[in-house]
Amino acid sequence: MRAAGGCWRRALTVAALAATAAFLRAAASRAEEAPARLQCFTMAQARSKMEAQKLADPFRCMRDVALRLQAEPLGARLCQLGEGLIYEISLLRRDGHIVKILVDAFSGRPHSSSIGADSIGAGSMGAGSMGD
């Protein structure tokens, strides 16, 4: 009986190790697929980048997106997303929710990774909101 108990313990230990290894592999693959994080610049850094790289006017981008979404513009900041530059535009919707829209800093068009980018281009509401 004692040998059978030891066999079960070994089997459970092997199963636990296999499950842990599978979990760690899945976590590692998700980490590799994680989207690039926003790294935003200070106002001084943003000004110099806007001048040096001839970026779109952030106020015009903010106004255009606010008009399309019928929202109140709150602010814009220049950020780096992966290899590209984007403006992160904050808007206050009529329902009181704050939304953040990503706009390509070169073209002034909604960035493809922005939630609701297709909807913004079509002129209707559909942006993701913060604090829903």
Side-chain angles (χ1 to χ4, degrees), residues 32-69:
E32 291 172 1
E33 297 169 2
R37 292 181 53 120
L38 283 180
Q39 294 180 326
C40 297
F41 300 105
T42 65
M43 290 298 288
Q45 291 170 327
R47 262 189 232 105
S48 67
K49 286 192 179 294
M50 282 187 264
E51 291 172 5
Q53 298 187 23
K54 306 288 187 223
L55 302 177
D57 179 21
F59 298 106
R60 183 177 208 162
C61 295
M62 186 169 48
R63 187 192 67 213
D64 291 348
V65 171
L67 285 172
R68 287 185 187 140
L69 293 178

Short mmCIF file of all heavy atoms in Angstrom, two decimals, residues 32-69:
data_model
loop_
_atom_site.label_atom_id
_atom_site.label_comp_id
_atom_site.label_asym_id
_atom_site.label_seq_id
_atom_site.Cartn_x
_atom_site.Cartn_y
_atom_site.Cartn_z
N GLU A 32 4.94 38.37 -25.07
CA GLU A 32 5.57 38.71 -26.34
C GLU A 32 4.58 39.39 -27.27
O GLU A 32 4.95 40.22 -28.09
CB GLU A 32 6.13 37.46 -27.01
CG GLU A 32 7.32 36.87 -26.29
CD GLU A 32 7.73 35.52 -26.85
OE1 GLU A 32 7.10 35.05 -27.81
OE2 GLU A 32 8.66 34.93 -26.30
N GLU A 33 3.29 39.05 -27.18
CA GLU A 33 2.28 39.61 -28.05
C GLU A 33 1.69 40.91 -27.51
O GLU A 33 0.85 41.51 -28.14
CB GLU A 33 1.14 38.60 -28.24
CG GLU A 33 1.57 37.32 -28.91
CD GLU A 33 0.50 36.25 -28.85
OE1 GLU A 33 -0.59 36.52 -28.32
OE2 GLU A 33 0.76 35.15 -29.34
N ALA A 34 2.10 41.34 -26.33
CA ALA A 34 1.54 42.53 -25.70
C ALA A 34 1.79 43.74 -26.59
O ALA A 34 2.85 43.88 -27.18
CB ALA A 34 2.16 42.75 -24.33
N PRO A 35 0.79 44.62 -26.70
CA PRO A 35 0.97 45.81 -27.53
C PRO A 35 2.00 46.75 -26.94
O PRO A 35 2.26 46.74 -25.74
CB PRO A 35 -0.42 46.46 -27.52
CG PRO A 35 -1.09 45.93 -26.31
CD PRO A 35 -0.51 44.56 -26.07
N ALA A 36 2.58 47.55 -27.80
CA ALA A 36 3.57 48.52 -27.36
C ALA A 36 2.91 49.51 -26.40
O ALA A 36 1.76 49.86 -26.56
CB ALA A 36 4.15 49.26 -28.56
N ARG A 37 3.67 49.96 -25.43
CA ARG A 37 3.14 50.90 -24.45
C ARG A 37 3.41 52.33 -24.90
O ARG A 37 4.38 52.61 -25.58
CB ARG A 37 3.80 50.67 -23.10
CG ARG A 37 3.41 49.36 -22.48
CD ARG A 37 4.06 49.20 -21.15
NE ARG A 37 3.77 50.35 -20.31
CZ ARG A 37 3.15 50.30 -19.15
NH1 ARG A 37 2.76 49.15 -18.69
NH2 ARG A 37 2.93 51.38 -18.44
N LEU A 38 2.52 53.21 -24.49
CA LEU A 38 2.70 54.63 -24.78
C LEU A 38 3.80 55.19 -23.90
O LEU A 38 3.83 54.95 -22.70
CB LEU A 38 1.42 55.40 -24.48
CG LEU A 38 0.28 55.30 -25.45
CD1 LEU A 38 -0.89 56.13 -24.96
CD2 LEU A 38 0.69 55.75 -26.83
N GLN A 39 4.69 55.94 -24.50
CA GLN A 39 5.70 56.67 -23.76
C GLN A 39 5.55 58.13 -24.18
O GLN A 39 5.90 58.51 -25.29
CB GLN A 39 7.10 56.15 -24.09
CG GLN A 39 7.31 54.74 -23.60
CD GLN A 39 8.70 54.24 -23.93
OE1 GLN A 39 9.26 54.58 -24.95
NE2 GLN A 39 9.25 53.43 -23.04
N CYS A 40 4.97 58.92 -23.29
CA CYS A 40 4.65 60.31 -23.63
C CYS A 40 5.80 61.25 -23.28
O CYS A 40 6.57 61.00 -22.36
CB CYS A 40 3.36 60.71 -22.93
SG CYS A 40 1.96 59.72 -23.50
N PHE A 41 5.87 62.34 -24.03
CA PHE A 41 6.95 63.31 -23.90
C PHE A 41 6.51 64.50 -23.05
O PHE A 41 5.32 64.80 -22.94
CB PHE A 41 7.38 63.82 -25.28
CG PHE A 41 7.86 62.73 -26.19
CD1 PHE A 41 7.07 62.27 -27.23
CD2 PHE A 41 9.10 62.16 -26.01
CE1 PHE A 41 7.51 61.26 -28.06
CE2 PHE A 41 9.56 61.15 -26.84
CZ PHE A 41 8.76 60.70 -27.87
N THR A 42 7.48 65.20 -22.49
CA THR A 42 7.19 66.45 -21.79
C THR A 42 6.82 67.50 -22.84
O THR A 42 7.05 67.30 -24.04
CB THR A 42 8.42 66.93 -21.01
OG1 THR A 42 9.46 67.25 -21.94
CG2 THR A 42 8.90 65.89 -20.00
N MET A 43 6.31 68.64 -22.38
CA MET A 43 5.92 69.70 -23.32
C MET A 43 7.13 70.19 -24.12
O MET A 43 7.03 70.42 -25.32
CB MET A 43 5.27 70.86 -22.56
CG MET A 43 3.90 70.55 -22.00
SD MET A 43 2.71 70.15 -23.29
CE MET A 43 2.46 71.73 -24.02
N ALA A 44 8.27 70.35 -23.47
CA ALA A 44 9.47 70.83 -24.16
C ALA A 44 9.93 69.82 -25.21
O ALA A 44 10.27 70.19 -26.34
CB ALA A 44 10.59 71.09 -23.15
N GLN A 45 9.93 68.54 -24.84
CA GLN A 45 10.32 67.50 -25.79
C GLN A 45 9.34 67.47 -26.96
O GLN A 45 9.74 67.33 -28.12
CB GLN A 45 10.35 66.13 -25.11
CG GLN A 45 11.45 65.96 -24.10
CD GLN A 45 11.28 64.67 -23.30
OE1 GLN A 45 10.16 64.24 -23.02
NE2 GLN A 45 12.40 64.06 -22.94
N ALA A 46 8.05 67.58 -26.66
CA ALA A 46 7.03 67.54 -27.71
C ALA A 46 7.21 68.71 -28.67
O ALA A 46 7.12 68.52 -29.90
CB ALA A 46 5.63 67.57 -27.08
N ARG A 47 7.45 69.90 -28.15
CA ARG A 47 7.65 71.07 -29.02
C ARG A 47 8.81 70.87 -29.97
O ARG A 47 8.71 71.15 -31.16
CB ARG A 47 7.89 72.32 -28.16
CG ARG A 47 6.66 73.14 -27.98
CD ARG A 47 6.96 74.48 -27.31
NE ARG A 47 6.06 74.59 -26.19
CZ ARG A 47 6.40 74.43 -24.91
NH1 ARG A 47 7.64 74.21 -24.58
NH2 ARG A 47 5.50 74.54 -23.97
N SER A 48 9.92 70.36 -29.45
CA SER A 48 11.09 70.18 -30.31
C SER A 48 10.83 69.10 -31.36
O SER A 48 11.25 69.24 -32.51
CB SER A 48 12.34 69.85 -29.49
OG SER A 48 12.22 68.60 -28.87
N LYS A 49 10.13 68.03 -30.99
CA LYS A 49 9.81 66.97 -31.96
C LYS A 49 8.84 67.47 -33.02
O LYS A 49 8.96 67.13 -34.20
CB LYS A 49 9.25 65.74 -31.27
CG LYS A 49 10.30 64.95 -30.51
CD LYS A 49 9.77 63.61 -30.09
CE LYS A 49 10.83 62.81 -29.37
NZ LYS A 49 11.95 62.44 -30.21
N MET A 50 7.87 68.29 -32.62
CA MET A 50 6.90 68.84 -33.58
C MET A 50 7.60 69.71 -34.61
O MET A 50 7.28 69.65 -35.80
CB MET A 50 5.81 69.63 -32.86
CG MET A 50 4.77 68.75 -32.21
SD MET A 50 3.40 69.70 -31.53
CE MET A 50 3.92 69.86 -29.84
N GLU A 51 8.55 70.52 -34.16
CA GLU A 51 9.28 71.39 -35.08
C GLU A 51 10.23 70.58 -35.97
O GLU A 51 10.29 70.80 -37.18
CB GLU A 51 10.07 72.43 -34.30
CG GLU A 51 9.20 73.45 -33.62
CD GLU A 51 9.98 74.37 -32.70
OE1 GLU A 51 11.24 74.27 -32.65
OE2 GLU A 51 9.34 75.18 -32.01
N ALA A 52 10.96 69.66 -35.37
CA ALA A 52 11.98 68.91 -36.12
C ALA A 52 11.37 67.95 -37.14
O ALA A 52 11.91 67.78 -38.23
CB ALA A 52 12.87 68.13 -35.15
N GLN A 53 10.23 67.35 -36.80
CA GLN A 53 9.67 66.31 -37.68
C GLN A 53 8.43 66.78 -38.44
O GLN A 53 7.78 65.98 -39.09
CB GLN A 53 9.37 65.06 -36.85
CG GLN A 53 10.63 64.48 -36.25
CD GLN A 53 10.39 63.15 -35.57
OE1 GLN A 53 9.45 62.44 -35.87
NE2 GLN A 53 11.26 62.80 -34.64
N LYS A 54 8.09 68.05 -38.33
CA LYS A 54 6.95 68.61 -39.07
C LYS A 54 5.67 67.81 -38.82
O LYS A 54 5.02 67.34 -39.74
CB LYS A 54 7.24 68.67 -40.57
CG LYS A 54 8.51 69.39 -40.94
CD LYS A 54 8.38 70.87 -40.74
CE LYS A 54 9.61 71.56 -41.29
NZ LYS A 54 10.12 72.59 -40.47
N LEU A 55 5.32 67.66 -37.54
CA LEU A 55 4.13 66.91 -37.16
C LEU A 55 2.87 67.75 -37.36
O LEU A 55 2.93 68.97 -37.45
CB LEU A 55 4.22 66.46 -35.70
CG LEU A 55 5.43 65.60 -35.34
CD1 LEU A 55 5.43 65.29 -33.86
CD2 LEU A 55 5.45 64.33 -36.16
N ALA A 56 1.74 67.07 -37.43
CA ALA A 56 0.45 67.74 -37.56
C ALA A 56 0.20 68.61 -36.33
O ALA A 56 0.70 68.34 -35.25
CB ALA A 56 -0.67 66.71 -37.72
N ASP A 57 -0.59 69.66 -36.51
CA ASP A 57 -0.92 70.56 -35.41
C ASP A 57 -1.82 69.83 -34.40
O ASP A 57 -2.91 69.37 -34.75
CB ASP A 57 -1.66 71.77 -35.96
CG ASP A 57 -2.06 72.77 -34.89
OD1 ASP A 57 -1.47 72.75 -33.79
OD2 ASP A 57 -2.98 73.56 -35.15
N PRO A 58 -1.37 69.68 -33.14
CA PRO A 58 -2.16 68.92 -32.17
C PRO A 58 -3.51 69.56 -31.86
O PRO A 58 -4.49 68.86 -31.62
CB PRO A 58 -1.27 68.88 -30.93
CG PRO A 58 -0.31 70.00 -31.10
CD PRO A 58 -0.14 70.19 -32.57
N PHE A 59 -3.59 70.89 -31.90
CA PHE A 59 -4.85 71.56 -31.60
C PHE A 59 -5.88 71.32 -32.70
O PHE A 59 -7.06 71.15 -32.43
CB PHE A 59 -4.61 73.05 -31.36
CG PHE A 59 -3.72 73.29 -30.18
CD1 PHE A 59 -2.41 73.70 -30.37
CD2 PHE A 59 -4.16 73.08 -28.89
CE1 PHE A 59 -1.57 73.90 -29.28
CE2 PHE A 59 -3.34 73.28 -27.80
CZ PHE A 59 -2.03 73.69 -28.00
N ARG A 60 -5.41 71.31 -33.92
CA ARG A 60 -6.32 71.03 -35.03
C ARG A 60 -6.82 69.58 -34.96
O ARG A 60 -8.00 69.32 -35.17
CB ARG A 60 -5.62 71.28 -36.35
CG ARG A 60 -6.50 71.09 -37.53
CD ARG A 60 -5.80 71.41 -38.82
NE ARG A 60 -6.80 71.85 -39.77
CZ ARG A 60 -6.54 72.51 -40.85
NH1 ARG A 60 -5.31 72.86 -41.12
NH2 ARG A 60 -7.50 72.84 -41.66
N CYS A 61 -5.91 68.65 -34.65
CA CYS A 61 -6.31 67.24 -34.51
C CYS A 61 -7.33 67.08 -33.39
O CYS A 61 -8.35 66.39 -33.55
CB CYS A 61 -5.09 66.37 -34.19
SG CYS A 61 -3.87 66.28 -35.49
N MET A 62 -7.07 67.76 -32.27
CA MET A 62 -7.98 67.68 -31.12
C MET A 62 -9.35 68.25 -31.49
O MET A 62 -10.38 67.66 -31.17
CB MET A 62 -7.36 68.44 -29.94
CG MET A 62 -8.11 68.31 -28.66
SD MET A 62 -7.22 68.95 -27.21
CE MET A 62 -6.65 70.54 -27.75
N ARG A 63 -9.37 69.38 -32.17
CA ARG A 63 -10.63 69.99 -32.57
C ARG A 63 -11.40 69.11 -33.54
O ARG A 63 -12.61 68.92 -33.40
CB ARG A 63 -10.36 71.36 -33.20
CG ARG A 63 -11.64 72.14 -33.50
CD ARG A 63 -11.39 73.33 -34.38
NE ARG A 63 -10.98 72.83 -35.68
CZ ARG A 63 -10.11 73.44 -36.48
NH1 ARG A 63 -9.53 74.54 -36.12
NH2 ARG A 63 -9.81 72.93 -37.66
N ASP A 64 -10.70 68.53 -34.53
CA ASP A 64 -11.36 67.68 -35.53
C ASP A 64 -12.00 66.45 -34.88
O ASP A 64 -13.14 66.11 -35.18
CB ASP A 64 -10.37 67.25 -36.61
CG ASP A 64 -9.93 68.39 -37.50
OD1 ASP A 64 -10.56 69.48 -37.45
OD2 ASP A 64 -8.94 68.22 -38.24
N VAL A 65 -11.26 65.80 -34.00
CA VAL A 65 -11.78 64.60 -33.33
C VAL A 65 -12.94 64.98 -32.42
O VAL A 65 -13.96 64.28 -32.36
CB VAL A 65 -10.67 63.86 -32.56
CG1 VAL A 65 -11.23 62.75 -31.71
CG2 VAL A 65 -9.64 63.30 -33.53
N ALA A 66 -12.82 66.09 -31.72
CA ALA A 66 -13.90 66.54 -30.83
C ALA A 66 -15.18 66.83 -31.61
O ALA A 66 -16.27 66.47 -31.18
CB ALA A 66 -13.46 67.78 -30.06
N LEU A 67 -15.04 67.45 -32.77
CA LEU A 67 -16.22 67.72 -33.60
C LEU A 67 -16.87 66.43 -34.09
O LEU A 67 -18.08 66.29 -34.07
CB LEU A 67 -15.84 68.60 -34.80
CG LEU A 67 -15.59 70.07 -34.49
CD1 LEU A 67 -15.03 70.79 -35.71
CD2 LEU A 67 -16.87 70.74 -34.01
N ARG A 68 -16.05 65.47 -34.53
CA ARG A 68 -16.59 64.20 -35.03
C ARG A 68 -17.31 63.42 -33.94
O ARG A 68 -18.31 62.76 -34.21
CB ARG A 68 -15.47 63.35 -35.61
CG ARG A 68 -14.98 63.85 -36.93
CD ARG A 68 -13.98 62.90 -37.52
NE ARG A 68 -13.39 63.49 -38.70
CZ ARG A 68 -12.11 63.40 -39.02
NH1 ARG A 68 -11.29 62.74 -38.24
NH2 ARG A 68 -11.66 63.95 -40.11
N LEU A 69 -16.80 63.49 -32.73
CA LEU A 69 -17.40 62.72 -31.63
C LEU A 69 -18.38 63.55 -30.80
O LEU A 69 -18.92 63.05 -29.82
CB LEU A 69 -16.31 62.16 -30.71
CG LEU A 69 -15.41 61.11 -31.33
CD1 LEU A 69 -14.35 60.67 -30.35
CD2 LEU A 69 -16.23 59.91 -31.78
#
